Amino acid sequence: MNSRLHRRLTLASSVTGAVAVALDGTVLTVAQPTLQRDLHATFAQVQWTSTGYLIAVASLLVFAGRLGDRYGHQQVFAVGILGFGATSAAIGFAPGIESVIGLRVAQGVFGALLQPATLGMLRAAYPADRLGMPIALRTSAIGLAAAAGPVLGGSLVTALGWRAVFFLNVVPALLMGVLALAVRGPARSRAASGGLDVPGACLLAVALVSLVHTLVGIPEAGWTTASTLGLVVVMAAGAAFVRHERRTASPLVPYDVLGSATIGAALGILVAGSAAMLGSLFVGSYYLQQVLELDPLQTSLRALPGAVMMVLGAPVAAVLLRRQGARRTTLAGTIALTSGVLLLSRLDRASTAVSIGGGFLLLGAGFGTVMVTATAVLVRQASAESAGVAGGLQQTAMNVGPTLGVATATLLMALGTGVTMGPPLTALAAVSALGVMLALRLPGPPGSSGRIRQESINKYGAGDGS
């Protein structure tokens, strides 16, 4: 198969996998109330259909990326997407809420296999200096899925019931899984082989499970002794993980990733940006419906400019990344994102649809830009042999960030009087602004240093991954 066709098929698989996960999350949110009623479940049980999935995904993403580095991203992607589709179909036939929760945890395991591979395949198929646009198209597709998911999910639930939403991904997953198994990818480097570092994977899993479980619990119980103990476990397991990685012969996270200040900055930007974005959407949705008394459809229409700008702005961000470099592009995106959060924080009962839409527009444009540039830097800076681990870290950041943002917003809302925009969104704007300092650690304009591209050529060769 020629390289151009292989790249197109790889991009199609990457986009399909990312969209399947994005759709699954959005349509489940719409389906949960009907699922709770039909299965006679408690609210806590329904929440565990999301929490169980999230914990399974977060704990396994980096290890799954390492599996892709060792055994091939296409093979791991095929197992992940076929398993994701199969568990989706099984949930559609589940007899009770306990079965749904168990299957959602299993789906999280396959989701963890699937997600890092969508980036690892791109890194293997495209030269490092041409990754911007494929990542941008993937980002646009995620934005489109996030925007269409509630509408599509609501229509399916209304017409066919909650089970219908879980059959949505089955056919695309089957097609892409079979295609990934049938198409031969590029040969893997021998450098990708090595130990899997199971002890390191366990330490990281303990840290991430404790972090996610603690953050998920804050919105319901507030800050408690259990929350404090959870963070102590996170810090202890995290410190033990770093110490182990520096001493082991075959680390889970190779030193070119673990010791890279640039990769660390890109991950921090993704956490801060996604926390600000999803936290603002969470607060904004409650404010528009409970204070301004808009119905769900009107609320979705007010927020629609954000989704549109994320879809349309991602390819623009890729062009800016190539011309202006990661530092300037990320700074512009972070400023737009922070400005959008601050604009939304000033909403009151007299706010018009234009002012509300303007805030969400800046939010979407800024987040789309930040996501494209930080992801591109992260995947480029990692070697081809560590692309899966880099993808796993990126997906981990994109899971932890929103959980952190929602927990922060909920905690500040609980400390206030009713649903207010000011305090929680001001705090989230401060979180977003951290991206400005981190962006200064990213590579500068290509014309002045060409740092990303030149480092890739020097370390891995001009034809790497093509």
Side-chain angles (χ1 to χ4, degrees):
M1 178 182 295
N2 65 62
S3 60
R4 179 176 296 182
L5 178 58
H6 179 259
R7 287 173 184 167
R8 289 177 178 175
L9 290 174
T10 298
L11 180 58
S13 297
S14 178
V15 167
T16 301
V19 166
V21 173
L23 269 179
D24 180 80
T26 53
V27 299
L28 176 62
T29 302
V30 176
Q32 279 178 332
T34 306
L35 182 153
Q36 179 180 2
R37 184 178 63 252
D38 288 356
L39 297 182
H40 308 289
T42 65
F43 180 75
Q45 287 175 320
V46 172
Q47 286 298 102
W48 268 100
T49 64
S50 295
T51 303
Y53 174 89
L54 181 60
I55 288 176
V57 167
S59 63
L60 293 173
L61 279 167
V62 178
F63 186 66
R66 184 59 177 162
L67 288 176
D69 290 333
R70 181 171 183 180
Y71 297 110
H73 298 296
Q74 280 190 203
Q75 288 81 355
V76 173
F77 171 83
V79 173
I81 198 164
L82 288 172
F84 195 88
T87 48
S88 291
I91 293 170
F93 291 111
I97 188 63
E98 294 82 4
S99 300
V100 173
I101 294 172
L103 287 167
R104 281 288 289 170
V105 172
Q107 191 176 43
V109 173
F110 289 113
L113 293 173
L114 162 64
Q115 293 181 59
T118 63
L119 288 172
M121 291 190 302
L122 291 180
R123 179 65 178 88
Y126 288 84
D129 60 348
R130 292 177 59 187
L131 277 168
M133 190 57 71
I135 290 174
L137 294 175
R138 179 180 177 274
T139 302
S140 292
I142 292 172
L144 184 60
V151 178
L152 183 58
S155 300
L156 287 172
V157 172
T158 301
L160 302 171
W162 66 268
R163 297 179 186 275
V165 302
F166 290 103
F167 295 116
L168 191 62
N169 289 323
V170 174
V171 174
L174 177 62
L175 291 176
M176 284 299 160
V178 171
L179 184 63
L181 290 174
V183 175
R184 180 181 294 274
R188 290 184 298 112
S189 169
R190 291 183 179 180
S193 60
L196 288 176
D197 188 18
V198 174
C202 292
L203 287 171
L204 182 60
V206 169
L208 291 173
V209 167
S210 300
L211 177 60
V212 171
H213 190 270
T214 300
L215 293 176
V216 168
I218 288 174
E220 182 177 351
W223 193 267
T224 63
T225 302
S227 304
T228 303
L229 291 175
L231 291 183
V232 170
V233 173
V234 172
M235 291 186 289
F241 171 73
V242 172
R243 185 171 181 269
H244 170 80
E245 292 299 284
R246 289 177 173 173
R247 295 187 173 192
T248 188
S250 300
L252 175 68
V253 182
Y255 185 75
D256 68 313
V257 177
L258 186 66
S260 171
T262 303
I263 288 177
L267 289 171
I269 289 166
L270 287 171
V271 171
S274 59
M277 174 71 173
L278 274 297
S280 298
L281 287 176
F282 176 80
V283 178
S285 296
Y286 269 88
Y287 188 83
L288 293 180
Q289 293 185 50
Q290 294 190 8
V291 178
L292 300 188
E293 298 180 346
L294 302 178
D295 61 36
L297 178 58
Q298 291 172 321
T299 300
S300 298
L301 291 176
R302 295 293 193 279
L304 186 60
V308 171
M309 284 306 299
M310 186 174 170
V311 173
L312 299 180
V316 176
V319 175
L320 292 174
L321 175 63
R322 186 172 66 249
R323 295 179 179 178
Q324 299 297 324
R327 186 184 306 154
R328 290 179 179 176
T329 306
T330 306
L331 281 172
T334 302
I335 291 171
L337 176 59
T338 306
S339 300
V341 178
L342 289 174
L343 185 58
L344 291 175
S345 74
R346 299 177 64 86
L347 296 182
D348 55 32
R349 291 182 180 275
S351 299
T352 65
V354 173
S355 61
I356 297 170
F360 282 112
L361 186 147
L362 285 171
L363 207 66
F367 181 65
T369 301
V370 165
M371 186 173 174
V372 169
T373 52
T375 300
V377 168
L378 178 62
V379 178
R380 287 177 181 180
Q381 285 290 120
S383 66
E385 291 77 22
S386 303
V389 169
L393 291 171
Q394 190 267 358
Q395 293 294 324
T396 300
M398 295 301 295
N399 277 278
V400 170
T403 310
L404 174 63
V406 171
T408 301
T410 306
L411 184 61
L412 291 175
M413 287 168 66
L415 294 175
T417 54
V419 180
T420 59
M421 296 287 274
L425 290 195
T426 301
L428 290 172
V431 172
S432 174
L434 292 174
V436 173
M437 294 181 290
L438 293 171
L440 297 176
R441 305 180 71 175
L442 299 185
S448 61
S449 64
R451 182 167 150 192
I452 294 180
R453 183 178 181 182
Q454 194 58 52
E455 284 185 358
S456 176
I457 292 173
N458 290 343
K459 288 180 73 175
Y460 311 118
D464 178 43
S466 59

